[in-house]
Amino acid sequence: LDPEALAGDSNAVMDFLAEYYRNVDKYPVRAANLEPGQLRELLPKAAPELGEPMEEVLDDVRRDILPGLTHWQSPRFFAYFPMNASAAGLAGEMLSVGLNVVPFVWAASPAAAELETVVVDWMAQLLGLPRRFMFSGGGGGVLQGSTCEAVVCTLAAARDRQLARLGHEAITRLVVYSSDQTHATFQKGARLVGIPPSNFHVIPTSAASGYGLTADAVRAAVDRDVALGLVPLYLCATVGTTGLGAVDAVREIGDVARRHGMWMHLDAAYAGSALVCPEFRDYLDGAELADSVSTNPHKWFLTNMDCCCLWVANPRALTSALSTDPEYLKDDVGIDECTGKPAAIDYKDWQISMTRRFRAIKLWVILRRYGAAGMRAHIRRHVAAAQWFEQAVAADGRFEVVVPRRFSLVCFRLAKRCVGDDDDAANGANRDLLAAVNASGKAFMTHFVVDGRFLLRLAVGGASTELLHVKEVGELLQGKADEVLQRYQY
Ligand code: PLP
């Protein structure tokens, strides 16, 4: 890497990004008019023979790429879940990719590996996780790229723990449980670790429990399976489900999991960030019954992609499933005389890939720059804005809030009574409302369907989203609702 080229190129990119962030509010939030194949037509048919100046590259980004992007960093992006970017996150990412070290075994970059152990303990402490998930409490954590990767690792650990007891043939009898609100990543993960698709059992939830998984429902499913000779392996509990932000009864289902020797994973991909605020800690009640916990700081913790924290109570269960010991990676760290464990950590044994990023420095920079107080203020600002929105839609007789808001996600719809008490008409009107809002370019939201009801999701959490933007989207929705309901007058 040529230091002079670095200074020139990175200054040009920084100027470009500063201009982008100054104007990001002015772009249509969702990419509007890009047809498949259109960008390919604009670009040369092959990579250039000779290198080109950075300015020309950035001109092309501005002209050809930006118009086709959906602007996730717009303050009026309310779709999916947020994907936070911050100045500290970008600075941390620059340090990570700039230093470009690979902490897969201790010798490969000792300070990078050790910083990761410090940062995951800091995070566990900040979010109020039980001590058993910290290195200082006998557990430990790792930074991965996504929840999906983390979940595959925990499923492999759970599978190997059971198969060591029952023999390899038992794999056809192992069952993984999720709720009908659990993220699809668990189903993918179960498939990847060899669980027969018919042994991925989806347990229904209902409005009565706010679409959270209950112990009775888990017990009924597990008892049925045990009677059939199946072996309960793994249960996923979620704090903050993707569709509705629902929360499972962690302690109660954790008790069932314990009784049956199941591995319980606690998925807090989105809502985990909120746990930095003590007022959300009740949702962690029973977390000590879990074997593993994960959250994605890249969603709502001011962390640029990518970063998933995975903690396990028993690191050896994870490393037994994932470790390899090739000659070319052997180092001589030795064994700790007190614990009998390797004296240092080889993070290659905590994840799928061997080569890995120096994510710890990014999260460390972020935590140092914002501090716990800064993070709490960030979360509370969004929760207060979501609270305002929830009250505003509830006060407008045309709308209904579908499930009580727990964090910063509001799920709502035009009420059926406004369109002649007809289910299909209500779904049609809500689809039309969402389409009208998104087509305006002034906001981007996504939907969910529960019990056959199509609803709109307002996920507040963009790093630059303020109450002002939420109020604006409220006005936009009211105007579009007028137009849509006129069409549905009967
Ligand atoms: N779990 C929950 C609750 C999520 O909301 C998401 C993504 O939104 C995931 C898991 C999947 O995360 P990833 O894309 O990091 O695999």
Side-chain angles (χ1 to χ4, degrees):
L1 187 150
D2 169 20
E4 303 316 317
L6 167 72
D9 281 4
S10 59
N11 284 341
V13 170
M14 284 302 137
D15 289 346
F16 170 86
L17 286 176
E19 177 196 317
Y20 174 70
Y21 277 96
R22 254 177 239 122
N23 293 308
V24 68
D25 198 15
K26 302 191 179 81
Y27 294 99
V29 187
R30 190 191 60 178
N33 301 314
L34 193 80
E35 296 296 327
Q38 198 177 320
L39 178 63
R40 181 174 279 271
E41 278 302 309
L42 290 175
L43 301 180
K45 297 283 172 274
E49 178 64 20
L50 299 175
E52 299 172 72
M54 194 66 199
E55 285 68 23
E56 279 180 30
V57 176
L58 291 174
D59 282 346
D60 290 359
V61 175
R62 205 175 278 115
R63 192 189 58 234
D64 298 335
I65 311 281
L66 283 190
L69 294 183
T70 290
H71 298 280
W72 283 68
Q73 301 314 318
S74 165
R76 289 172 292 110
F77 181 98
F78 300 104
Y80 313 112
F81 275 138
M83 201 54 67
N84 277 181
S86 67
L90 178 61
E93 182 68 19
M94 279 163 55
L95 277 172
S96 170
V97 298
L99 295 170
N100 218 32
V101 298
V102 184
F104 51 15
V105 291
W106 176 252
S109 222
E114 194 140 316
L115 187 66
E116 191 158 334
T117 67
V118 171
V119 166
V120 289
D121 269 13
W122 278 15
M123 282 293 288
Q125 212 171 33
L126 274 178
L127 304 187
L129 294 188
R131 259 181 60 75
R132 67 196 293 258
F133 294 111
M134 302 179 200
F135 282 103
S136 52
V142 56
L143 299 179
Q144 303 200 5
S146 70
T147 297
C148 190
E149 295 162 56
V151 160
V152 170
C153 297
T154 59
L155 280 160
R159 177 202 59 193
D160 286 4
R161 192 176 71 174
Q162 274 294 10
L163 294 184
R165 234 170 36 88
L166 301 174
H168 200 78
E169 325 71 65
I171 192 155
T172 57
R173 292 195 288 129
L174 302 182
V175 182
V176 174
Y177 298 91
S178 79
S179 89
D180 55 7
Q181 302 299 317
T182 302
H183 196 278
T185 207
F186 285 84
Q187 194 155 10
K188 186 191 278 197
R191 239 173 25 218
L192 282 169
V193 303
I195 304 298
S198 57
N199 286 9
F200 186 85
H201 291 182
V202 177
I203 304 172
T205 61
S206 71
S209 62
Y211 300 97
L213 198 50
T214 63
D216 283 348
V218 175
R219 214 175 287 117
V222 171
D223 287 350
R224 210 170 30 240
D225 290 343
V226 170
L228 291 171
L230 298 172
V231 180
L233 174 72
Y234 185 104
L235 172 67
C236 171
T238 308
V239 173
T241 61
T242 313
L244 301 170
V247 176
D248 294 340
V250 177
R251 173 168 301 287
E252 291 76 14
I253 65 176
D255 279 336
V256 181
R258 275 280 167 97
R259 211 162 309 130
H260 287 276
M262 270 192 279
W263 182 294
M264 182 167 82
H265 180 81
L266 186 55
D267 173 15
Y270 148 70
S273 298
L275 301 174
V276 71
C277 302
E279 61 269 30
F280 290 105
R281 294 276 168 77
D282 284 353
Y283 291 125
L284 271 185
D285 181 46
E288 72 278 9
L289 299 173
D291 295 279
S292 48
V293 183
S294 58
T295 188
N296 282 358
H298 64 223
K299 282 189 162 52
W300 194 19
F301 209 72
L302 293 174
T303 303
N304 296 47
M305 275 191 288
D306 54 8
C307 187
C308 170
C309 299
L310 168 69
W311 295 273
V312 288
N314 177 3
R316 202 167 284 184
L318 196 67
T319 56
S320 300
L322 302 174
S323 72
T324 52
D325 192 23
E327 188 57 40
Y328 43 83
L329 291 180
K330 282 194 198 302
D331 53 26
D332 52 2
V333 173
I335 297 294
D336 182 315
E337 281 176 15
C338 299
T339 63
K341 294 179 183 174
I345 193 158
D346 285 348
Y347 267 123
K348 72 174 174 51
D349 299 336
W350 288 61
Q351 61 171 44
I352 298 170
S353 65
M354 193 81 85
T355 304
R356 61 197 308 276
R357 314 183 68 226
F358 185 11
R359 295 188 181 92
I361 199 162
K362 172 170 61 180
L363 197 47
W364 185 66
V365 169
I366 290 163
L367 292 171
R368 302 256 330 255
R369 292 287 287 135
Y370 295 110
M375 281 300 175
R376 286 194 290 268
H378 162 74
I379 297 292
R380 285 178 180 146
R381 189 179 54 159
H382 292 138
V383 172
Q387 207 164 16
W388 178 90
F389 183 84
E390 182 187 35
Q391 286 165 1
V393 293
D396 181 327
R398 297 168 300 173
F399 290 102
E400 62 188 10
V401 175
V402 178
V403 285
R405 175 200 52 79
R406 296 188 192 265
F407 305 98
S408 65
L409 172 68
V410 186
C411 297
F412 66 99
R413 69 197 303 255
L414 285 166
K416 193 166 79 163
R417 62 178 176 275
C418 299
V419 286
D421 255 345
D422 181 274
D423 287 326
D424 290 342
N427 283 346
N430 279 293
R431 275 181 202 281
D432 288 357
L433 176 62
L434 180 64
V437 166
N438 290 342
S440 75
K442 293 183 181 150
F444 180 32
M445 296 165 55
T446 47
H447 77 280
F448 192 59
V449 176
V450 69
D451 292 338
R453 291 174 298 165
F454 183 99
L455 58 89
L456 284 72
R457 298 166 71 261
L458 186 90
V460 184
S464 56
T465 300
E466 304 280 351
L467 178 58
L468 148 86
H469 304 106
V470 173
K471 287 187 171 174
E472 278 173 11
V473 79
E475 279 169 29
L476 177 66
L477 273 160
Q478 289 186 331
K480 297 294 178 194
D482 287 340
E483 291 169 23
V484 167
L485 287 176
Q486 255 173 20
R487 272 187 269 136
Y488 278 82
Q489 286 307 326
Y490 56 98

